[in-house]
Amino acid sequence: MRTAHTRAQTAMGVKPDEDAHESWGWRGRTLGQAVTTSHGPAWLRVACAPNGKAAATFWNGSIEAEKSLPEAIPRPRLRCWHDWNDQRWQYRAELYDRVTARPVATSPVLTTTPELPSDWWTAVRAMLDDMATVPTRRVTIHQGFLDHAMPRLLGTPIKTTAPRPWTTAHGDFHFANLCAPTLHVFDFEGWGLAPAGYDAAMLHSYSLLVPSAAARIRSELAHILDTPSGRYAELTVITELLHATTRGDHLALAKPLRQRASRLLGRPIPSRVAP
């Protein structure tokens, strides 16, 4: 990936900043770094996938977001991109505007309490409202997965369908993708249709290790989470994250996720995954 990033720098006519740090994505699938262009500072991100096996939703998400999302959604704008491949891998380099604000957290699972002003939460609520109304045929999570995984991971009885139509979501809404004190939102790879309240539920679920932060989210986003749709969205995200723990991801979240699901459903949650 470092070699690919260097190749992308040459192809796009940019130079790395002298003190630039590397920003790695999930399992090393992406690598980002601050660069300088003839028009000023920017951010260069390179993604990889095995040749011919890139999931279209995620591979094209950033480009489709740039074309489809309104300017009101605060995000680094995508300037251009460049594709190439070798015998085993395909690559995409994306050049973004660089923002000066820093992500609230360094990983999706929150471990410390963030100090966030009230106007930041106002901006989050506005962003979620704007995002929910974007028309799209993209899909962030599939109903078929929920029909199979919710009973398996959360037990029965459980209703696997949402109480209202799905809306458009960012799809990976956690504090490592959110900047402060000025809100900017990163990584629109997986945006698309999801149960209403999905982003708020994801922010809350990833924060369960820090009860004070989770309580703040429930307070600031109560109009979303304290509804039948919001509770279903929480169960959706909990299912998705519990499924991730079965693959070895975010293991520290497993117990608090089950505890939260038990509270939402009013019954115990299986401690072992059904076959």
Side-chain angles (χ1 to χ4, degrees):
M1 285 299 288
R2 291 186 174 114
T3 300
H5 206 278
T6 299
R7 174 172 175 166
Q9 293 167 21
T10 301
M12 304 184 87
V14 304
K15 295 182 178 180
D17 285 9
E18 290 185 2
D19 58 347
H21 72 280
E22 294 179 337
S23 180
W24 290 91
W26 182 72
R27 296 187 176 181
R29 195 180 64 83
T30 66
L31 174 59
Q33 192 173 6
V35 296
T36 299
T37 75
S38 58
H39 300 289
W43 183 266
L44 180 62
R45 177 180 181 272
V46 176
C48 71
N51 257 331
K53 296 184 179 180
T57 296
F58 291 94
W59 193 251
N60 297 319
S62 298
I63 295 172
E64 293 180 4
E66 180 61 31
K67 295 177 179 178
S68 302
L69 302 189
E71 292 185 4
I73 294 177
R75 65 195 190 278
R77 303 306 297 268
L78 176 60
R79 298 182 186 178
C80 58
W81 58 92
H82 171 67
D83 293 337
W84 78 97
N85 64 282
D86 58 24
Q87 289 185 343
R88 294 182 57 197
W89 299 92
Q90 60 188 96
Y91 299 92
R92 172 164 291 163
E94 298 168 341
L95 189 66
Y96 293 89
D97 291 342
R98 196 195 311 176
V99 299
T100 56
R102 302 291 298 171
V104 175
T106 58
S107 66
V109 181
L110 193 68
T111 57
T112 59
T113 303
E115 298 296 331
L116 299 167
S118 58
D119 60 349
W120 186 88
W121 288 104
T122 300
V124 166
R125 289 190 290 271
M127 178 265 166
L128 293 177
D129 288 345
D130 289 337
M131 191 76 199
T133 62
V134 175
T136 185
R137 293 183 178 178
R138 292 172 52 86
V139 177
T140 291
I141 188 169
H142 292 272
Q143 183 65 53
F145 166 77
L146 297 177
D147 291 340
H148 169 73
M150 290 180 83
R152 178 170 171 260
L153 293 164
L154 302 184
T156 56
I158 190 164
K159 185 175 177 59
T160 64
T161 56
R164 55 169 287 197
W166 289 18
T167 58
T168 303
H170 171 274
D172 200 18
F173 204 71
H174 52 68
F175 282 119
N177 280 338
L178 305 178
C179 287
T182 302
L183 178 65
H184 293 276
V185 185
F186 294 153
D187 291 348
F188 282 81
E189 283 184 309
W191 73 280
L193 294 172
Y198 182 86
D199 285 338
M202 179 163 286
L203 189 65
H204 180 263
S205 294
Y206 268 126
S207 303
L208 288 174
L209 294 182
V210 186
S212 60
R216 180 75 185 272
I217 294 165
R218 288 196 301 272
S219 174
E220 297 288 349
L221 303 180
H223 68 295
I224 299 174
L225 294 174
D226 290 348
T227 65
S229 294
R231 288 186 283 275
Y232 175 83
E234 275 199 71
L235 293 172
T236 294
V237 172
I238 289 170
T239 298
E240 194 172 13
L241 295 183
L242 283 176
H243 178 70
T245 68
T246 67
R247 305 193 306 263
D249 295 325
H250 311 317
L251 294 178
L253 276 178
K255 183 177 179 179
L257 286 169
R258 289 192 180 95
Q259 291 173 337
R260 181 62 183 168
S262 179
R263 183 170 181 177
L264 290 167
L265 292 168
R267 59 168 171 79
I269 301 302
S271 58
R272 295 183 180 180
V273 177

